[in-house]
Amino acid sequence: MRKSMKIPVLLSLVLLLLVRCANDKDAYFARPGWLEPPIYDVLQKQGRFTNYLKCVDRTMYASALKSSGLYTVFAPNDDAFVKYLNGKSISDLPDTLVNQIVGYSIVYNNYTYDHLSDILSGGWDTLTSIRKRTTFYNPIYQMNYQGNNIWVYDMPGVSASIGTVVEQNYKYIPLYLSKVFERNRTASLAAADYNMFYPTPYTGSNVQSASIVTKDMVSQNGVAHEVDQVLEPLPNLEKLLDDPDYSSFKGLINMKGSTGDPYFVTYQYNDILTSSFSSSMPDKNINAVYLKYYTGLPFTLSGERYGTSTRDAEKGGFTMFAPNNAAVAKFYDEKLKAYYPNGINTVSKDILGYFINAQMINELVWPADFKNSMNSLGEFFNGKGSRGAEFNKEKYTKLAPASNGLFYGSSDYIKSRYFETVFTEIFLNPTYNLFNTAFSTYFNTTLKEELLQCELNGYTQENYTVLLPSDDLLRADGFSWSWISGSNAYGFLNSNSGSTLGSFDVGARMQRLVRSHIFKRLKNDQVNCAITNFTTDPAFASAYNGYSYAVNEYGDMIRYKDGKIQMLGNYDENDWVTATPYKTFLNGQVFKIDKMLQYSRRNSAPTEPEKYTSQALFIYLQNMATANSNISTFISYLTLCLKGSESTDLAGISADMTLTFFMPNNAAMTKAVKNGDLPAYSAVSGGNPAAIQKATKFILYHIVNGKEYVDDGLSYIMPNREVIKEEVSPTLLKDVVDNTYLAISKDASGKLNVSTRVQSTGRNLSTSIKSATVARIRSNYFGSKSVLHEINDYFIYNKVQ
């Protein structure tokens, strides 16, 4: 009996203990009296947010604002709703619009006014915030794609976090706070920029088109700021292109290729997205969700997030200068119609891509910054940068803020160097496809980029002359662009290469031919040496029997007169290339040609190898000695010292060298012997080792390595487009003595002068040891990768002690 009574007693004690613990727990977790109420209650207590709270009550956000969490709310007051409703009531607003208004007014995390310009990322970040992520996002949607009705998920940015939790494409609300928006501009400029896009006053406390009128209403679950307007979510840049005035530009962005796939938009089926949305939206019968993003453009037009992470997303936005339909038609008529007469829809992807990219940039461009801002291709929006015009609102038909950037609807298009430079003709004209392919294959980041230099991308003095070898000319030379089975890729082939007699490096030949048809020059206020035609300047006509001379990009000399040109190979065959002026661009001019410039006897050489190889240098030296007996003594010494007995090879000179010969005339050679600076010819021919060594050095003193210096009549030397009075160059002599060098310069008439000089100790001046001048009429002879000159004196080097 005693045992049975113990159980009820123990049970009573346990129950009493549990009740007491429960009471203690409730007391412990009870809401402290000093804690602020939730955001909903704070706004309700204020009494001027009645309409906003009515909207909140119609959404799923009501519970969030009444309970725990951390939010910032931009709450429109009742006066704002009166203006917004314009006689209607809250009940007249559709649920979808109410959900947008409320969701867009709520920002994740707690930002007091002083922290609105800060980024919260595991603590306050050093970055600057100009926009905040709201709780609102557009859900997935249906569209027809290639005949199928698919569900589409817009990728939030350049990437998306797609895992067990899918990142939504949240809208961001823009902030215009004085401490950020006026950081690099005056208050008046900030107001001017703001009012280009918003009709409301700039106060320095703006949220979109609204102003914060009461800040920091602190609550248990965040903070609220009172604003004087009801704000709807801004459309993104993609949605703004739905305006019919920009349908042509939107059509280019959505252009499809021959397979039916868009060039710049990708729709990619995703298992995780499909599983996630089919589970969360079971009533929609979702069986396939496609990830949508833009490729080949600087940003995803439908993506709300800037940068590569949510941390970066608050820092910036995108800018689009959208040409209206008339502007797109103008671009086609001015730049493409001649090559693509059947419409802009027949234009290739890369051409469209350059045009579209020229109208965009993945950063914000405000009107005050317009003058020095560049597009995604690195080109000034105004065409000239600081030298160009300020922003002119009259040229724009629509200015609109977007949720992910700024939209400028324009009555004109932004110019791109791909359509305004000498490379344009190569790029656009199908007649020069092989030439264009050669640039893409061999010079895509080098010479091609140079030909695209113009004032649009900050190059104001570069000038190019390009001779255009057509596909027919290159095919006649044996070239084709073909599939190479061994390398499983396309490449250049030449029908004349690979045979027993005609083997040569196809790529090397194509590269040399490309560079042979390009001339780099200067054109500015002080210097203008642009080759705008291939006729001789009358002031220079008497110097070389009516011929003018220039050096091409490869480094080979050409000569020309009356619109006809020769390079070494053409000269050998007494053949002429006719150059016809074709078009002028921002950075130069292009010419049509009836033949190609050649460095070898392409048509008349006796064997195949000789058709693709320049003749030996010694042959040209002999030919010059025959034509110009004034340098016969120098050639005789050179023959004894450098030439082997059985070949045309020259000791110390290889076929890959680029050389300039400054050959003293016979009188100067005689003087050199008399002065003891050159051994007598008999001593050298007799085999005296010391005489041969001294004579060899003498010969090598007079050969410059690395460049062809042409007597071209210009009054300056132009290395790398830098106009200078003289240029220092090494000779072929390997043991050049200390403090001495060879200086190439021009006199007032443009005649080539050469001198050996010594740098004076402790001074910036140089002392001339010996100088000579080229003899016109008897200079500028062709050599294999060389130019041959007669000079009126000889050079010596004396080591300074």
Side-chain angles (χ1 to χ4, degrees):
M1 185 73 175
R2 184 180 298 175
K3 182 177 180 181
S4 63
M5 290 179 62
K6 289 181 180 179
I7 295 175
V9 172
L10 289 173
L11 183 60
S12 298
L13 291 173
V14 170
L15 291 172
L16 180 62
L17 182 62
L18 288 173
V19 169
R20 180 177 179 181
C21 289
N23 291 335
D24 290 345
K25 181 179 179 183
D26 290 343
Y28 181 80
F29 287 103
R31 186 176 180 277
W34 50 263
L35 188 64
E36 296 287 349
I39 291 175
Y40 188 97
D41 295 346
V42 168
L43 294 176
Q44 191 176 50
K45 185 179 179 180
Q46 292 289 327
R48 59 183 183 277
F49 300 98
T50 306
N51 288 314
Y52 176 70
L53 294 179
K54 285 181 181 179
C55 289
V56 170
D57 289 337
R58 289 175 56 183
T59 70
M60 62 180 180
Y61 300 104
S63 59
L65 297 188
K66 293 177 180 180
S67 58
S68 60
L70 284 176
Y71 303 100
T72 298
V73 175
F74 297 104
N77 57 35
D78 286 338
D79 288 342
F81 266 97
V82 169
K83 286 186 251 182
Y84 179 77
L85 293 171
N86 193 24
K88 296 180 181 179
S89 66
I90 294 295
S91 60
D92 293 327
L93 301 180
D95 288 342
T96 53
L97 179 56
V98 170
N99 191 62
Q100 290 177 17
I101 291 171
V102 175
Y104 192 60
S105 71
I106 302 172
V107 167
Y108 285 107
N109 292 319
N110 176 16
Y111 297 99
T112 60
Y113 183 83
D114 288 340
H115 275 304
L116 280 174
S117 58
D118 298 326
I119 292 176
L120 190 59
S121 177
W124 295 114
D125 205 299
T126 57
L127 301 175
T128 299
S129 174
I130 62 170
R131 57 206 292 262
K132 294 296 183 187
R133 188 180 73 165
T134 72
T135 59
F136 176 74
Y137 60 88
N138 287 311
I140 61 173
Y141 55 93
Q142 287 183 290
M143 65 170 286
N144 185 279
Y145 177 67
Q146 294 184 338
N148 298 313
N149 193 38
I150 65 171
W151 288 89
V152 176
Y153 163 85
D154 285 320
M155 191 161 75
V158 294
S159 61
S161 175
I162 300 175
T164 54
V165 177
V166 173
E167 177 188 1
Q168 300 293 350
N169 195 20
Y170 290 101
K171 288 279 187 183
Y172 287 75
I173 191 168
L175 309 175
Y176 304 101
L177 308 178
S178 58
K179 72 176 184 178
V180 174
F181 203 46
E182 296 174 24
R183 180 171 294 171
N184 297 313
R185 59 177 72 118
T186 64
S188 59
L189 281 178
D193 276 353
Y194 179 83
N195 289 132
M196 288 285 186
F197 293 91
Y198 299 102
T200 51
Y202 170 72
T203 62
S205 297
N206 298 93
V207 180
Q208 203 162 298
S209 58
S211 287
I212 297 174
V213 294
T214 304
K215 60 186 178 183
D216 294 344
M217 293 181 283
V218 179
S219 69
Q220 168 193 334
N221 57 347
V223 62
H225 305 289
E226 179 183 0
V227 295
D228 61 0
Q229 278 192 27
V230 177
L231 301 176
E232 294 181 10
L234 292 171
N236 57 37
L237 290 169
E238 181 187 68
K239 291 298 182 184
L240 287 172
L241 281 179
D242 288 340
D243 186 327
D245 286 343
Y246 306 96
S247 59
S248 294
F249 187 58
K250 182 179 179 181
L252 298 185
I253 294 173
N254 292 317
M255 187 76 74
K256 297 178 180 179
S258 57
T259 63
D261 292 318
Y263 285 144
F264 308 108
V265 189
T266 296
Y267 296 90
Q268 187 179 77
Y269 172 77
N270 188 277
D271 282 325
I272 296 176
L273 290 174
T274 300
S275 175
S276 175
F277 285 108
S278 61
S279 299
S280 62
M281 303 167 67
D283 57 322
K284 298 296 184 180
N285 297 318
I286 297 171
N287 55 19
V289 178
Y290 288 74
L291 177 66
K292 173 190 170 186
Y293 56 95
Y294 287 77
T295 54
L297 301 183
F299 54 86
T300 288
L301 275 65
S302 54
E304 303 290 347
R305 173 162 52 75
Y306 175 80
T308 57
S309 68
T310 54
R311 176 176 174 269
D312 294 334
E314 298 180 24
K315 295 190 303 180
F318 315 115
T319 302
M320 178 189 294
F321 288 83
N324 63 17
N325 297 341
V328 172
K330 177 184 176 185
F331 168 72
Y332 171 70
D333 290 340
E334 291 179 346
K335 304 299 177 184
L336 304 181
K337 190 173 183 178
Y339 313 111
Y340 297 88
N342 295 324
I344 199 168
N345 60 318
T346 64
V347 174
S348 64
K349 175 184 177 180
D350 53 348
I351 294 174
L352 293 178
Y354 288 125
F355 175 68
I356 294 169
N357 275 275
Q359 321 303 312
M360 302 178 180
I361 183 65
N362 59 345
E363 59 187 46
L364 292 174
V365 176
W366 289 95
D369 305 321
F370 174 78
K371 187 173 183 177
N372 292 303
S373 294
M374 288 181 160
N375 61 23
S376 65
L377 301 177
E379 301 153 343
F380 289 112
F381 283 112
N382 71 352
K384 294 185 177 181
S386 60
R387 298 166 52 251
E390 300 280 0
F391 181 79
N392 183 356
K393 187 178 180 181
E394 300 304 316
K395 294 184 177 181
Y396 296 88
T397 54
K398 180 177 182 178
L399 299 178
S403 57
N404 57 351
L406 297 174
F407 181 92
Y408 295 81
S410 177
S411 58
D412 205 347
Y413 58 89
I414 302 297
K415 292 182 178 180
S416 169
R417 64 192 190 276
Y418 287 91
F419 309 104
E420 306 291 341
T421 60
V422 291
F423 189 73
T424 298
E425 195 64 26
I426 303 167
F427 177 54
L428 295 181
N429 196 331
T431 303
Y432 309 110
N433 277 338
L434 289 177
F435 200 36
N436 184 29
T437 302
F439 275 96
S440 299
T441 304
Y442 303 117
F443 306 107
N444 198 45
T445 60
T446 52
L447 185 56
K448 174 181 171 180
E449 285 298 318
E450 288 191 62
L451 297 189
L452 289 165
Q453 292 176 347
C454 65
E455 64 182 4
L456 294 176
N457 56 337
Y459 295 90
T460 59
Q461 63 177 2
E462 285 68 19
N463 191 274
Y464 302 89
T465 294
V466 180
L467 308 178
L468 298 168
S470 66
D471 286 358
D472 288 342
L473 291 177
L474 287 168
R475 289 192 190 102
D477 201 76
F479 285 103
S480 63
W481 180 251
S482 306
W483 180 259
I484 302 175
S485 57
S487 61
N488 292 319
Y490 278 93
F492 277 106
L493 295 177
N494 194 297
S495 59
N496 300 304
S497 178
S499 65
T500 303
L501 295 177
S503 181
F504 59 85
D505 186 331
V506 174
R509 175 167 173 76
M510 175 59 88
Q511 291 177 60
R512 184 168 182 180
L513 288 175
V514 169
R515 295 174 65 190
S516 295
H517 289 80
I518 296 169
F519 300 86
K520 299 179 181 179
R521 312 293 275 196
L522 278 176
K523 186 178 182 180
N524 56 42
D525 293 339
Q526 290 76 40
V527 175
N528 183 359
C529 57
I531 303 176
T532 57
N533 59 69
F534 286 93
T535 57
T536 301
D537 184 342
F540 190 68
S542 61
Y544 290 96
N545 293 323
Y547 291 108
S548 284
Y549 296 83
V551 175
N552 60 29
E553 203 281 325
Y554 187 80
D556 285 328
M557 182 180 73
I558 66 158
R559 70 173 185 174
Y560 61 89
K561 69 176 179 178
D562 300 329
K564 297 185 181 297
I565 314 170
Q566 285 182 325
M567 201 166 76
L568 180 65
N570 312 101
Y571 168 79
D572 285 343
E573 296 181 320
N574 194 28
D575 197 12
W576 290 91
V577 175
T578 300
T580 305
Y582 186 30
K583 290 183 180 180
T584 300
F585 295 92
L586 287 179
N587 65 342
Q589 42 284 319
V590 297
F591 290 74
K592 290 184 176 182
I593 52 176
D594 63 341
K595 301 182 183 71
M596 288 199 299
L597 294 177
Q598 296 286 355
Y599 57 86
S600 61
R601 295 169 295 164
R602 179 65 183 83
N603 300 313
S604 61
T607 66
E608 283 297 311
E610 292 173 315
K611 289 180 183 294
Y612 298 95
T613 306
S614 300
Q615 294 187 86
L617 174 59
F618 184 70
I619 293 174
Y620 295 98
L621 291 167
Q622 283 183 311
N623 291 343
M624 182 176 178
T626 301
N628 178 14
S629 60
N630 281 355
I631 49 88
S632 59
T633 302
F634 182 89
I635 298 300
S636 296
Y637 271 89
L638 180 147
T639 304
L640 284 177
C641 296
L642 303 183
K643 181 183 173 296
S645 58
E646 299 297 329
S647 72
T648 55
D649 293 341
L650 298 174
I653 296 177
S654 60
D656 61 345
M657 288 180 174
T658 300
L659 305 171
T660 301
F661 283 73
F662 294 105
M663 296 179 283
N665 60 25
N666 295 342
M669 294 291 284
T670 300
K671 185 168 68 171
V673 173
K674 181 179 179 181
N675 292 339
D677 294 319
L678 177 65
Y681 184 79
S682 58
V684 178
S685 61
N688 184 305
I692 293 174
Q693 183 183 35
K694 187 172 183 178
T696 299
K697 286 187 175 183
F698 183 93
I699 296 298
L700 296 179
Y701 284 153
H702 293 80
I703 306 173
V704 169
N705 184 20
K707 187 172 183 177
E708 293 186 27
Y709 287 97
V710 175
D711 187 30
D712 53 13
L714 298 177
S715 60
Y716 41 80
I717 303 292
M718 197 177 64
N720 300 320
R721 289 216 189 82
E722 180 185 0
V723 174
I724 60 175
K725 292 183 178 180
E726 67 178 31
E727 182 176 23
V728 177
S729 293
T731 70
L732 279 182
L733 186 65
K734 303 301 182 184
D735 56 343
V736 176
V737 294
D738 296 339
N739 284 338
T740 58
Y741 58 91
L742 190 66
I744 316 296
S745 61
K746 297 286 189 75
D747 65 16
S749 68
K751 185 182 290 187
L752 210 56
N753 292 322
V754 190
S755 62
T756 56
R757 297 189 180 183
V758 58
Q759 188 74 28
S760 301
T761 305
R763 300 178 62 193
N764 294 324
L765 302 176
S766 58
T767 302
S768 177
I769 300 175
K770 197 80 169 178
S771 297
T773 303
V774 298
R776 286 187 166 168
I777 299 294
R778 300 189 299 275
S779 292
N780 280 348
Y781 277 75
F782 282 104
S784 179
K785 294 187 70 175
S786 304
V787 58
L788 315 178
H789 297 298
E790 174 192 330
I791 57 175
N792 62 357
D793 210 336
Y794 67 94
F795 304 141
I796 58 171
Y797 286 91
N798 293 321
K799 186 170 183 178
V800 177
Q801 300 299 326

